[in-house]
Amino acid sequence: MTVAVDDELWSAIGDPIRRRLLDLLLAAGSGTPTGLSDQLPISRQAVAKHLAVLDRAGLVHATPSGRERRYEVDEAQLARAVRQLREVGRTWDLRLNRIKRIAEEIQRRHND
């Protein structure tokens, strides 16, 4: 089975601050931009922008919580990302094994 790679999803995950936000949300279960910014070296506004990117990619969902929004990780979407990463890993393993076999054949011919 081939899993289609979602560029928007991987673009969202590709940023180290967004990956850290996902880690924090997974550890705590949920969080607000204010609470999350207290744990990061960036402003609340920057956290809110990163969370918006994660939300557009479907990795988090927000619900109103007083004057703020509370964010939670969408575990189904995160699991989809993990499946895609495994598929990409398998594809690259096959490619690298093929390159290795070609290099070994070239080496054998060179030694003969």
Side-chain angles (χ1 to χ4, degrees), residues 17-76:
I17 293 290
R18 290 192 284 269
R19 288 193 306 272
R20 181 71 180 125
L21 282 168
L22 288 170
D23 288 342
L24 291 170
L25 290 170
L26 285 167
S30 68
T32 63
T34 301
L36 293 164
S37 68
D38 290 343
Q39 301 175 64
L40 295 167
I42 60 174
S43 69
R44 182 208 173 283
Q45 291 79 9
V47 167
K49 287 181 181 182
H50 282 292
L51 288 168
V53 172
L54 292 170
D55 192 27
R56 281 192 303 275
L59 288 162
V60 299
H61 295 292
T63 54
S65 177
R67 292 176 36 186
E68 287 207 87
R69 296 175 66 76
R70 180 160 294 281
Y71 288 84
E72 294 181 16
V73 173
D74 182 317
E75 294 195 21

Side-chain angles (χ1 to χ4, degrees), residues 14 21 28 30 54 71 84 88 106 109 111:
L21 282 168
S30 68
L54 292 170
Y71 288 84
Q84 287 182 16
V88 168
I106 290 170
R109 289 181 188 170
N111 289 338

